[in-house]
Amino acid sequence: MVMLNRDTCTIQIVGVGGQGALTVSRIIGAAALKKNVPIIISEIHGMAQRGGVVKTTIRLGDTISPLPFKSDITCLVGFEPLEVYRARDEISKDTVVVISTDPIRPISVSSWGKVYPEVDDIIEEVKKHTECTFSLSAREKAQEAGNERVTNVLPFTCEELREAIGESVPEKSLEANLKAFDLGYGEVHDRKK
Amino acid sequence: MFEEHSLIRNVCIPGQERYFMHELLEDRPGKKMLVLGNEAIARGAVEAGVSVAATYPGTPSSEIGNTLHRIAKEAGMYFEFSTNEKVAFETAGAAAVAGVRAFSFMKHVGLNVAADAFMTLAYTGVRAGYVVLTADDPSCHSSQNEQDNRYYAKMSGVPMVEPSSPEEARRMMHYAFELSERFEEPVLFRTTTRMNHVRGVMEFGKITPPKGRVHFEKDPSRFVTVPANARKRHLALLEIIPKMRDESEVSPWNRVVVPEKKNTSGDLKLGIITSGVSFNYVMEVLNNVELDVTARVLKLGMTAPLPEDMISEFCRENDLVLTVEEGEPYLEEAAKALLKERGVTTTVLGKRDGHFPIPFEYNPDIVLKGIASAIGSMGRKVELPVPEENEWDTSLPEPPRPPVMCPGCPHRAAYFAVKKATKGKAVFPTDIGCYTLGIMPPQLIGDILICMGSSAGSAGGLSRVVDEPVIAFMGDSTFFHTGIPPLVNAVHNGHNFVLNIMDNATTAMTGHQPHPGLPIDGMGDPAPFISIEKVCRGLGVQFVRTVNPLDLKETQKVFEEAIAFDGPAVVITKSPCALLLDRNLRRAGRTRVKYTVYQDKCTKCDICTSTFACPAFYKIGDDHYIDPELCLSCGVCEQVCPFGAMGPIKQEGE
Ligand SMILES: Cc1ncc(C[n+]2csc(CCOP(=O)(O)OP(=O)(O)O)c2C)c(N)n1
Ligand code: SF4
């Protein structure tokens, strides 16, 4: 159903446990708090640590509901391509989708003989259903930035975010995080032109 | 063993979010901070001047304990991770009886463990505020059931409150303590996962310092529940309940809310009674979807006893009333019975009429569907936005991504050895913890699991009726929680099974909290640790062996001997949680050698993936690899591969 809550921006992050979705939501949280933008973040912890699917929902703006209508996702950030495909119900025409193209093969593929879909097929499918898709290899960007753990990039603008990163990540990995952020930002920004 | 403990020590403090350490304790009323619901609750406890807090960890309440573990000392509060929820409840409850504010908290099923004490403390009541938090888990995100603990309030007669957001939770902690002191009764503080695990903006309130030691005023006629006293106390409780109800009628937490953006002028007067997180979804629907009604929402924050006058008045004023609540029809049945009793003819609709589901969490879509269906059943057509054509190609492969034991996890190694020792021919009662994940292929270990501590109890019964050997599994934290009584039972009654106590020196599943087997307590102080091996011997178990599960051959041998032993046998597989160990080593700046596949030796037989399946293994075509990013250096794969094709990464020139 389509009934976008125009007063809010909803970012849905999908990925795999340990990829840092929680850190990202905290960075956005710090930025929002600073600018006095109302924010609610919903995280499911539980089994996440054990390599299961992780979903974090960030809602900015005028709402008190931690969960949105399915059709109300402004931006879906996929840290993992298969998980984007799995979350396809939440992608509508207006959803901006950012996909990391680096697969993380689940145990069902690495050990039980199940097949992992072609990443290109996923991206092609996603492109058919949304008007705005960015796919990038987050891992390559992270390697450029010098820390493979920093594979998470954000489709969210500007200095405030850089500042928020400064407040939210440990000092020793700050530089790599900032560099990764700049690279990711540059990537999305360039392609938008 | 001591080295292990010292390694674990530093990491016993869960969730190393540095910026929450002391910030939560700042006495700066009005300061805003983005916090997890559970952190807001911990802050509420600090502000309310709690002297004694106790818990047994359990998601979704775990972060309350993790937070207090970090700040209790500085806050001047006594905090402990108790052996189990019943002990936690009693520890805090007695403190409140003595006269200081106390707080115990647990996941929903934890209240079952504490229920015996809970039901009778409602009779004696308390002399200072006592808040008991239950964290329910609709959708079983990390639980074995999704029971609705609101019935515990009804069953016991104690008041109950339910917040909808982190900020409400903080403020409601103050209110709950006031209620508790006014009625001298414990107060049930009921949350659900989407409250505990939601991050929102919280505003700091004033901190009241906790009370120090008090003099215990003896009053056995009240606090010693022999039958004669219990009867009197039941009467006393029944006398207070109407007074609590009077409070519920005027409670600032029970109020009518109206949507501002939509549904303000339709000709049908629609009332919705709701509480907790469901309120948020109701408002999302009413503010965004025009249903052509004039909607009013009765938001109940104090849900036991229910404000009966308020509810019947609210229903009288509306043409149609819906109850929107996750879980059981608690509000619905109460409202329907009440209206019947009072002769109010407004129709109330909810789950019993099939408009709203009982199982699983709600969200705005589910709530909208329910509201539309209920209004529709009254003969009104509801124009809903048309679903978008969503023609996805669903033919792409969609391999599942279940949670699995970490690479290097000692549980996986223990299971490998057990399978070798039994050749798979055994019945495996299992228990709750990371090791439950042994039910996944290729281990496939786990034939019955009910609740914590149940593996050893089930094993006793099974060993009396099945031919196969019975091998039960239980974690170290679970052993202390509820594992000891069934082992006593097995010794006394001569049950013949093997109990594998999987000692990874932590409560891993819920976020690595300490337990009585570790040299650290809830305050972060050094503590005596209880030896599982000595406990088992002390109980009279004749076969007790401790083995390192990362040594597969030795472990297999020990299991073979245990199976051959006549009578209850205990095998303690002892090796620290790989995740914790790795985190700690990395922090100490120590790195360990990673493992790899020597391609020249690999025969592509798939034995590694089909029998061991470490998540660090992967294949490209037929070729096997180990992801060095994921490998945690346990070295077990080297013992699994029969061809010597797995081993440490060789340095140049080796
Ligand atoms: C009555 C009850 N309390 C708490 C929990 C939450 N819980 C799930 S597993 C677990 C403990 C796991 O610790 P352990 O037995 O040491 O196993 P590990 O995860 O370390 O392998 C807890 C506390 C529960 N399921 N039931
Ligand atoms: S957290 Fe520890 S006990 Fe749990 S699966 Fe990982 S290594 Fe095993």
Side-chain angles (χ1 to χ4, degrees):
Chain A
M1 293 166 204
V2 194
M3 56 210 112
L4 284 183
N5 182 342
R6 299 287 172 194
D7 305 330
T8 62
C9 164
T10 302
I11 305 169
Q12 178 82 280
I13 305 177
V14 294
V16 178
Q19 279 190 300
L22 298 188
T23 309
V24 170
S25 64
R26 258 181 239 132
I27 292 170
I28 298 181
L33 196 62
K34 205 161 236 176
K35 270 187 94 178
N36 254 326
V37 178
I39 180 164
I40 311 171
I41 304 172
S42 177
E43 336 172 319
I44 288 298
H45 300 202
M47 313 283 257
Q49 212 169 12
R50 317 287 172 268
V53 180
V54 175
K55 234 178 204 185
T56 301
T57 311
I58 304 171
R59 307 206 70 199
L60 297 155
D62 187 13
T63 179
I64 57 167
S65 177
L67 297 179
F69 286 107
K70 249 186 200 166
S71 57
D72 205 7
I73 310 292
T74 322
C75 177
L76 186 123
V77 182
F79 285 174
E80 205 284 338
L82 168 62
E83 295 316 319
V84 173
Y85 182 62
R86 226 192 290 280
R88 57 188 177 271
D89 262 11
E90 295 169 43
I91 297 175
S92 51
K93 199 163 86 287
D94 298 323
T95 310
V96 175
V97 181
V98 181
I99 312 179
S100 158
T101 53
D102 307 316
I104 296 180
R105 293 183 175 77
I107 196 83
S108 62
V109 172
S110 62
S111 289
W112 310 349
K114 297 246 193 280
V115 179
Y116 192 94
E118 290 296 328
V119 174
D120 288 344
D121 289 351
I122 295 177
I123 291 170
E124 200 177 306
E125 264 304 298
V126 172
K127 283 192 169 151
K128 275 190 220 155
H129 290 86
T130 71
E131 266 143 38
C132 194
T133 307
F134 300 99
S135 52
L136 54 155
S137 165
R139 195 177 269 208
E140 269 168 38
K141 291 287 151 208
Q143 268 159 358
E144 259 178 72
N147 176 355
E148 236 197 285
R149 282 183 175 262
V150 192
T151 48
N152 314 311
V153 273
L154 260 179
F156 206 84
T157 43
C158 73
E159 265 317 295
E160 285 149 0
L161 274 179
R162 293 185 96 247
E163 232 174 85
I165 292 173
E167 285 168 26
S168 311
V169 309
E171 234 167 79
K172 62 180 180 343
S173 55
L174 179 60
E175 203 182 315
N177 270 285
L178 283 176
K179 207 161 160 205
F181 174 76
D182 291 342
L183 284 165
Y185 183 71
E187 185 85 2
V188 172
H189 202 69
D190 291 349
R191 276 197 241 165
K192 261 192 181 155
K193 280 189 222 154
Chain B
M1 178 173 162
F2 282 97
E3 202 224 4
E4 230 165 64
H5 273 157
S6 69
L7 276 175
I8 298 292
R9 248 204 87 102
N10 298 329
V11 275
C12 277
I13 300 167
Q16 285 77 24
E17 293 123 292
R18 61 183 165 92
Y19 34 73
F20 288 131
M21 291 282 277
H22 306 292
E23 216 182 331
L24 261 187
L25 285 178
E26 266 185 83
D27 199 7
R28 266 214 288 157
K31 182 193 156 165
K32 286 185 176 166
M33 185 169 166
L34 185 67
V35 295
L36 201 61
N38 280 340
E39 289 162 341
I41 290 163
R43 168 74 191 192
V46 170
E47 288 180 4
V50 165
S51 296
V52 172
T55 190
Y56 179 75
T59 315
S61 74
S62 303
E63 297 80 6
I64 306 173
N66 299 357
T67 306
L68 292 183
H69 184 42
R70 271 181 256 133
I71 66 177
K73 194 173 262 182
E74 212 179 323
M77 176 193 293
Y78 171 73
F79 167 67
E80 72 174 39
F81 286 111
S82 306
T83 307
N84 65 33
E85 292 86 351
K86 180 170 180 285
V87 177
F89 178 87
E90 292 158 347
T91 302
V97 165
V100 300
R101 285 192 167 185
F103 179 40
S104 68
F105 47 100
M106 54 205 76
K107 70 183 284 161
H108 59 336
V109 288
L111 193 50
N112 297 339
V113 177
D116 198 3
F118 178 77
M119 290 302 298
T120 304
L121 195 76
Y123 278 18
T124 68
V126 288
R127 288 190 284 214
Y130 185 26
V131 173
V132 182
L133 180 142
T134 167
D136 294 10
D137 189 18
S139 278
C140 304
H141 288 288
S142 39
S143 305
Q144 62 267 40
N145 77 21
E146 52 173 351
Q147 68 184 48
D148 185 336
N149 276 7
R150 292 179 296 174
Y151 289 100
Y152 270 117
K154 199 170 166 180
M155 184 157 58
S156 64
V158 308
M160 169 169 63
V161 294
E162 291 183 71
S164 303
S165 69
E167 169 61 11
E168 269 193 23
R170 181 195 62 80
R171 287 194 287 137
M172 238 182 215
M173 283 293 281
H174 291 270
Y175 180 64
F177 277 105
E178 283 159 28
L179 279 187
S180 174
E181 278 164 12
R182 183 154 9 131
F183 300 112
E184 298 201 7
E185 278 295 328
V187 169
L188 191 62
F189 195 103
R190 191 245 189 182
T191 61
T192 53
T193 308
R194 283 297 163 185
M195 170 39 243
N196 302 91
H197 285 175
V198 158
R199 246 171 234 282
V201 178
M202 175 188 85
E203 198 171 313
F204 283 29
K206 234 184 98 44
I207 294 180
T208 312
K211 241 191 195 172
R213 290 193 174 266
V214 291
H215 171 70
F216 185 85
E217 299 275 346
K218 291 180 191 277
D219 187 357
S221 67
R222 176 172 177 191
F223 294 108
V224 179
T225 53
V226 292
N229 293 341
R231 284 191 283 269
K232 278 189 228 139
R233 291 309 305 171
H234 191 194
L235 292 178
L237 173 61
L238 292 175
E239 237 167 72
I240 330 172
I241 290 175
K243 296 188 184 125
M244 298 178 192
R245 181 161 295 122
D246 291 345
E247 166 61 21
S248 194
E249 301 287 359
V250 297
S251 168
W253 291 99
N254 291 341
R255 65 201 165 94
V256 173
V257 180
V258 291
E260 281 159 15
K261 300 184 197 163
K262 291 199 164 72
N263 299 299
T264 52
S265 57
D267 57 354
L268 180 82
K269 282 198 239 158
L270 176 73
I272 294 181
I273 305 176
T274 186
S275 70
V277 295
S278 303
F279 168 73
N280 302 327
Y281 309 141
V282 166
M283 295 314 287
E284 184 79 354
V285 169
L286 295 179
N287 276 325
N288 289 291
V289 185
E290 184 56 62
L291 298 162
D292 198 17
V293 298
T294 301
R296 296 171 77 230
V297 179
L298 181 58
K299 179 190 190 303
L300 298 178
M302 181 171 176
T303 44
L306 285 165
E308 296 183 351
D309 295 344
M310 193 183 247
I311 291 174
S312 47
E313 215 33 54
F314 180 77
C315 292
R316 223 190 288 272
E317 288 162 5
N318 286 291
D319 302 330
L320 169 66
V321 170
L322 313 181
T323 46
V324 182
E325 53 189 327
E326 289 175 338
E328 302 296 325
Y330 172 86
L331 298 173
E332 177 182 356
E333 287 180 349
K336 282 179 171 166
L338 185 67
L339 297 202
K340 180 92 184 156
E341 202 176 274
R342 300 198 172 185
V344 180
T345 53
T346 310
T347 304
V348 174
L349 297 175
K351 299 168 198 272
R352 294 178 58 91
D353 318 280
H355 300 296
F356 292 91
I358 288 178
F360 313 145
E361 262 196 315
Y362 284 6
N363 58 37
D365 290 294
I366 291 173
V367 171
L368 171 60
K369 203 167 144 216
I371 295 177
S373 150
I375 303 179
S377 77
M378 300 297 286
R380 261 177 80 110
K381 202 154 155 31
V382 192
E383 292 279 347
L384 283 185
V386 202
E388 190 185 343
E389 289 293 311
N390 194 346
E391 285 167 6
W392 282 78
D393 177 358
T394 51
S395 68
L396 301 191
E398 212 174 323
R401 192 186 298 278
V404 285
M405 290 177 281
C406 305
C409 179
H411 299 331
R412 180 183 291 99
Y415 285 140
F416 187 88
V418 166
K419 282 207 109 163
K420 287 265 178 196
T422 58
K423 304 188 179 56
K425 283 199 195 65
V427 184
F428 300 119
T430 190
D431 223 296
I432 308 192
C434 283
Y435 51 95
T436 315
L437 297 170
I439 53 169
M440 295 288 165
Q443 285 82 25
L444 296 173
I445 285 189
D447 295 312
I448 173 169
L449 163 58
I450 308 164
C451 63
M452 281 188 77
S454 68
S455 65
S458 310
L462 287 167
S463 70
R464 291 283 161 186
V465 297
V466 300
D467 286 332
E468 303 96 313
V470 176
I471 304 183
F473 301 90
M474 181 183 286
D476 44 351
S477 187
T478 304
F479 176 73
F480 291 112
H481 179 274
T482 30
I484 298 174
L487 191 55
V488 171
N489 184 67
V491 172
H492 177 67
N493 293 305
H495 294 317
N496 187 15
F497 63 84
V498 180
L499 175 63
N500 176 10
I501 301 171
M502 312 181 94
D503 182 0
N504 58 358
T506 186
T507 314
M509 187 55 132
T510 45
H512 301 109
Q513 294 84 359
H515 60 59
L518 293 166
I520 180 174
D521 64 18
M523 298 296 284
D525 288 328
F529 55 94
I530 289 114
S531 152
I532 296 175
E533 186 172 317
K534 283 190 192 154
V535 170
C536 295
R537 287 192 199 285
L539 297 181
V541 181
Q542 299 299 317
F543 185 108
V544 182
R545 293 281 296 278
T546 300
V547 65
N548 178 356
L550 303 186
D551 181 343
L552 294 181
K553 279 228 167 67
E554 182 60 23
T555 308
Q556 179 182 340
K557 210 174 101 219
V558 170
F559 272 107
E560 280 162 358
E561 285 169 29
I563 293 166
F565 184 80
D566 189 22
V570 169
V571 176
I572 302 165
T573 47
K574 194 173 172 71
S575 179
C577 161
L579 194 67
L580 202 53
L581 186 66
D582 181 68
R583 206 187 282 164
N584 201 26
L585 286 172
R586 259 193 293 145
R587 239 193 260 153
R590 277 164 64 182
T591 49
R592 293 190 296 171
V593 63
K594 306 278 184 180
Y595 282 66
T596 190
V597 178
Y598 308 137
Q599 296 302 336
D600 54 327
K601 290 196 184 153
C602 176
T603 63
K604 310 188 194 319
C605 67
D606 283 355
I607 283 178
C608 54
T609 48
S610 65
T611 66
F612 192 63
C614 171
F617 297 169
Y618 68 101
K619 280 172 83 175
I620 297 179
D622 285 339
D623 297 339
H624 289 267
Y625 298 92
I626 295 174
D627 187 338
E629 278 274 297
L630 297 178
C631 173
L632 291 187
S633 316
C634 69
V636 175
C637 56
E638 193 174 8
Q639 304 162 55
V640 169
C641 174
F643 303 101
M646 285 177 158
I649 294 178
K650 293 197 173 119
Q651 301 300 320
E652 296 280 316
E654 257 181 58

